Amino acid sequence: MLQNTGKLAGRTLFITGASRGIGKAIALKAAKDGANVVIAAKTAQAHPKLPGTIYTAAEEIEAAGGNALPCVVDVRNEEQISEAVENAVKTFGGIDILINNASAINLTGTLETPMKKVDLMMSINSRGTYLTSKLCIPYLKKSQNGHILNLSPPLNMNPVWFKNHCAYTMAKYGMSMCVLGMAEEFKGEIAVNALWPKTAIHTAAMDMLGGSGVSSQCRKPEIMADAAYAIFLKPKTFTGNFVIDEELLKEEGIRDFDIYAVDPGHPLLPDFFLDEEPEALAKKMQDHGEHPGTWYIDLKNGSGSIGHGSFPGKADVLMSMSSEDFVKMFAGKMKPTMAFMSGKLKVKGDMSLAIKLESLMTHLKAKL
């Protein structure tokens, strides 16, 4: 892991969504140097499914050697952000680093995404990042080495990353466009960069998204914390970059990435928006196989049944993918979570039931 240098001692970090996951991991890494951390998140009371509040995060930050200022902030609320920024400046004397980490995700197609969800993603991801940056920039400009870091992906225009979850992609890319514009606008004054993981990161939110079994295919949030830390030590001339965690850490001399794995040696799930060979991937996505058709599996009625054609009743979950990938999945050669995250498997309907598919595949593999 990347060693702490002590160089963030006395520096003030303003982190949105820092009560858990990657945001908290970045906070704890900086705290080991003796940094000041403003935890700007909306979780003041514990969520039934997602552990951690701004107050428990503050306790951990102080235990690690930092100073913490927990602030109840919904990044959609200008007044709340403004108040947190003023409190940060009053408490710590300024702001040196802003991490736009708060984000909302909903992986559904255009017709299946309610406008309420579209508005949520746009207002938290794109607008929230823009607004928080706007309110912090006057103070960042006064810092000797002011940094904005958005946890957002490279602007990959491969249609494969739009077709299955257009609204989410637009909202995340809005964060990345803030990097593109603000890096140029404030060149010489503030460094503005994006950071994105090469593989899926294990967080409580990821468990909700991919099911509890997904953790073995993930890395720990500490890899993102180490990469973020390396960026903060760079001068403000390092700006306008779309950084991938693993690539940066290799440049920093890290060779052993097993230390970041939840289950060392287990194949890792590639993250969204990254493809090694975009053309080959696009071709695969267009290839619908040689034997298209509709099949149903009924696991609810009687002893269950399987058949060709549409289900006679109302299906709880509809899944679509190429015949080739369908065979691979049922043969156990492709994990459903991997297929879903790479866009090969499209899911409509009850996501909680769809998530159970992975364990079903494991049982089926033993019988095939």
Side-chain angles (χ1 to χ4, degrees):
M1 286 194 177
L2 199 69
Q3 295 300 309
N4 278 70
T5 62
K7 288 182 180 176
L8 294 188
R11 304 277 299 284
T12 300
L13 288 75
F14 191 103
I15 311 178
T16 66
S19 58
R20 59 175 74 97
I22 294 168
K24 190 178 80 172
I26 294 172
L28 291 172
K29 180 75 178 176
K32 288 176 185 171
D33 271 9
N36 307 316
V37 181
V38 183
I39 307 153
K42 63 179 177 22
T43 314
Q45 294 179 322
H47 186 284
K49 292 182 181 175
L50 299 169
T53 67
I54 56 173
Y55 306 111
T56 58
E59 286 170 16
E60 288 183 58
I61 287 161
E62 287 177 350
N67 300 303
L69 177 65
C71 299
V72 178
V73 170
D74 182 333
V75 294
R76 292 170 291 179
N77 188 316
E78 186 170 358
E79 200 175 296
Q80 286 182 8
I81 302 169
S82 190
E83 193 177 315
V85 168
E86 283 172 29
N87 282 344
V89 174
K90 194 161 58 180
T91 307
F92 300 125
I95 298 170
D96 299 289
I97 297 165
L98 165 63
I99 298 106
N100 285 306
N101 166 65
S103 196
I105 183 169
N106 196 70
L107 300 172
T108 47
T110 302
L111 301 180
E112 295 76 47
T113 312
M115 284 314 296
K116 187 179 172 184
K117 294 277 190 186
V118 177
D119 292 341
L120 181 75
M121 289 189 284
M122 294 297 180
S123 58
I124 291 177
N125 302 1
S126 301
R127 185 180 181 275
T129 293
Y130 184 93
L131 174 57
T132 309
S133 301
K134 178 182 167 71
L135 294 174
C136 286
I137 284 169
Y139 301 101
L140 293 168
K141 286 168 83 167
K142 293 176 186 174
S143 171
Q144 284 188 320
N145 195 24
H147 274 263
I148 294 177
L149 184 66
N150 295 351
L151 297 195
S152 64
L155 289 162
N156 181 350
M157 291 297 134
N158 185 343
V160 94
W161 299 116
F162 291 83
K163 65 178 278 190
N164 294 324
H165 38 74
C166 189
Y168 173 65
T169 299
M170 287 165 64
K172 275 317 267 190
Y173 279 19
M175 296 174 73
S176 300
M177 286 191 282
C178 284
V179 171
L180 207 60
M182 292 176 193
E184 198 65 26
E185 185 178 357
F186 301 104
K187 191 174 273 188
E189 297 179 285
I190 307 167
V192 186
N193 296 288
L195 175 63
W196 194 246
K198 186 175 175 69
T199 72
I201 301 295
H202 182 236
T203 61
M206 187 66 183
D207 276 344
M208 283 180 73
L209 192 68
S212 56
V214 78
S215 63
S216 62
Q217 302 169 65
C218 299
R219 282 177 172 160
K220 301 169 192 170
E222 283 73 20
I223 189 169
M224 288 289 279
D226 280 4
Y229 183 85
I231 291 169
F232 303 149
L233 299 188
K234 292 184 183 294
K236 56 190 176 187
T237 49
F238 182 83
T239 191
N241 300 289
F242 291 89
V243 178
I244 305 302
D245 59 355
E246 184 182 306
E247 292 171 11
L248 178 71
L249 290 173
K250 280 180 179 173
E251 288 173 16
E252 295 291 324
I254 302 292
R255 294 290 171 263
D256 178 15
F257 286 89
D258 274 352
I259 53 171
Y260 296 116
V262 172
D263 184 1
H266 196 285
L268 295 164
L269 197 60
D271 209 345
F272 291 99
F273 311 117
L274 303 177
D275 37 273
E276 305 292 326
E277 300 170 32
E279 288 177 17
L281 184 59
K283 186 178 182 300
K284 279 184 188 174
M285 295 301 295
Q286 289 162 5
D287 179 15
H288 294 288
E290 292 174 14
H291 307 288
T294 303
W295 297 80
Y296 69 83
I297 303 172
D298 180 4
L299 301 174
K300 284 172 77 174
N301 300 304
S303 55
S305 62
I306 187 166
H308 190 260
S310 297
F311 182 60
K314 187 179 186 302
D316 293 305
V317 184
L318 290 170
M319 300 183 183
S320 54
M321 66 192 308
S322 74
S323 302
E324 184 188 353
D325 290 333
F326 179 81
V327 171
K328 280 184 192 172
M329 197 168 76
F330 271 84
K333 292 175 183 173
M334 179 191 295
K335 286 187 174 289
T337 314
M338 178 80 83
F340 176 66
M341 286 192 70
S342 63
K344 293 177 180 178
L345 169 63
K346 195 169 180 180
V347 179
K348 294 179 188 176
D350 189 334
M351 285 298 290
S352 62
L353 289 174
I355 284 164
K356 293 177 182 173
L357 183 67
E358 187 116 22
S359 56
L360 176 66
M361 296 292 105
T362 309
H363 293 303
L364 280 172
K365 188 184 172 188
K367 301 187 186 300
L368 284 172

